[in-house]
Amino acid sequence: MRRPKTLGLLVAVLLGASVLAACGSGDTVSGGKVKVVFWHGQNDAAKKTIDGLIADFNRTHPNIEVDGNLGGVLADQMTTKVTAALAAGSYPDVAYIFGSDLANIARSPKVLDLTDTVHANGFGWDDFWPAEQQAASVDGRVRGMPALVDDLGIVYNKKLFDAAGIGYPNDSWSWDDFRTAARKLTDAGSGTFGTGWPGAGAEDTVWRLWPMLWQQGGDILNPDHSATAFDSPQGRTALSLVHDMAAVDKSVFVDSDPSSQRMNQLFNDGKMGMLVAGPWALPDIVDAKIDYGVTGLPGFGGNHTTISGADDWVLFDNGSARSKATIEFITWLTDPAQDIRWTQGVDNLPIRRASLKEPGYQDFVKRVAGIQVFVDNLPGARARPAVAAYPKVSAAVGQALVGSLLGQTDPATALHKAAQDGDTALKGP
């Protein structure tokens, strides 16, 4: 669920034509090699790491040449770029797609069905975390290969807890414990908040609510995904808690920045006691020299289920030769030996259980304090439903959350309206 910064529109326009031209069917074979066009959408350390992996693959696979590039945009704009490329009939062989967008992309007949590939003897599909398998599957078919996995937990500032005389959060905390601590940590005079919540109404706002629903036995959609299920006692309890913390206790910094950077910066400046975040937040917290700890999410009734925003490599059909070569490359890239290099290079969580046994894993968890907590939570993490209407359902819930965070709407009323809008989206074309 990590959201990198986007490239400017001008850069996307300048690169777009050349990138699309580079992935035409005329480049299927280059110098006797099958060419694979790989839009990875990564920058900075991630780009450096993946460029190194691509170079190693090309060196050890003489019949395949992987052409790795941004695709003209970074990952958070990739779905829009790929959709346009599919419409134009000139698209890559593989691209990085957010898990919440997979079902929409998978409606294209050009997206490869990987079900037989991942269930073949020796592939090791069960080695991937359950949330990754869920996020990569649409209507019972595997339509993406896991590219990134994460989950939510609590990162807390030890200094602020010590000053307030509060015991550190732990894996037995309830949401009532969390609310009480957030209230005690808040100090309007010094500009210190107990916690924060993204308030732009986008998916970063919404997905944090779902664990609170699941922990009570509720769900987002009904079993056959034909209607919403969150307008329930469990949903009202969850949204009311968010409303009360933000609008009544005033212990929540509501971040209207779409990237949630202001909220994260407050924590890194020592002005926030607890941050609901994933492993992506830790490197910046380390750089800020915050004395921090990490624990799992608070729970309801002893249930501490968390959520994973797993993303995927999505493969496209550019003919049998390129499809076969692309599957070979992505299978190699997601092997534990390569996964641990990806993990170490960008401080991601490992996408496979076997990667935890690879040389270098223990050095990784020692270098990034607290990241082991996120790894430990992966076996029980859940993914959002992989349905094409999910973005519209999320948008409706996002509006309910923003209104509740700002104290502008009654939670029960807002949730009911969101469910009506979500039902309309699920019944739409």
Side-chain angles (χ1 to χ4, degrees), residues 67 91 115 140 146 151 157 163 174 182 290 321 363 401 415 419:
D67 175 16
Y91 44 86
T115 307
D151 58 75
N157 183 315
S174 69
I290 297 294
D363 290 338
L401 270 161
L415 200 65

Side-chain angles (χ1 to χ4, degrees), residues 75-296:
D76 58 350
Q77 293 295 316
M78 189 63 74
T79 295
T80 300
K81 186 62 180 284
V82 168
T83 300
L86 288 168
S90 186
Y91 44 86
D93 297 290
V94 57
Y96 188 102
I97 299 294
F98 287 148
S100 56
D101 294 327
L102 176 65
N104 273 303
I105 287 291
R107 292 187 295 179
S108 169
K110 295 300 183 181
V111 173
L112 294 182
D113 187 325
L114 302 175
T115 307
D116 292 341
T117 297
V118 303
H119 290 299
N121 289 335
F123 183 85
W125 184 234
D126 288 341
D127 193 41
F128 291 87
W129 305 108
E132 294 176 308
Q133 297 179 41
Q134 296 164 18
S137 301
V138 181
D139 296 330
R141 308 296 294 180
V142 179
R143 309 306 301 276
M145 195 73 77
L148 177 143
V149 67
D150 55 21
D151 58 75
L152 288 176
I154 302 297
V155 187
Y156 56 91
N157 183 315
K158 293 182 178 180
K159 180 179 178 180
L160 292 180
F161 270 81
D162 291 343
I166 307 170
Y168 298 151
N170 58 62
D171 58 11
S172 67
W173 262 31
S174 69
W175 282 104
D176 283 340
D177 294 327
F178 182 86
R179 179 184 179 183
T180 298
R183 189 166 53 237
K184 291 180 178 179
L185 289 161
T186 300
D187 182 356
S190 64
T192 302
F193 289 86
T195 190
W197 197 290
E203 180 60 13
D204 200 22
T205 301
V206 175
W207 75 310
R208 297 160 191 267
L209 185 73
W210 299 141
M212 301 169 73
L213 185 69
W214 293 332
Q215 291 169 0
Q216 301 174 76
D219 215 336
I220 303 170
L221 304 179
N222 66 359
D224 67 1
H225 293 174
S226 63
T228 60
F230 56 76
D231 185 14
S232 62
Q234 296 93 340
R236 288 188 286 274
T237 295
L239 190 58
S240 292
L241 175 62
V242 175
H243 168 274
D244 292 347
M245 290 182 61
V248 178
D249 299 347
K250 308 294 185 183
S251 63
V252 179
F253 175 77
V254 181
D255 191 352
S256 60
D257 184 337
S259 67
S260 305
Q261 287 304 305
R262 294 168 62 198
M263 180 178 83
N264 295 335
Q265 190 59 53
L266 272 177
F267 187 89
N268 295 342
D269 289 341
K271 294 294 186 179
M272 184 177 292
M274 298 178 290
L275 186 67
V276 178
W280 64 83
L282 298 185
D284 287 342
I285 294 172
V286 171
D287 289 345
K289 303 187 185 313
I290 297 294
D291 185 12
Y292 69 93
V294 181
T295 190

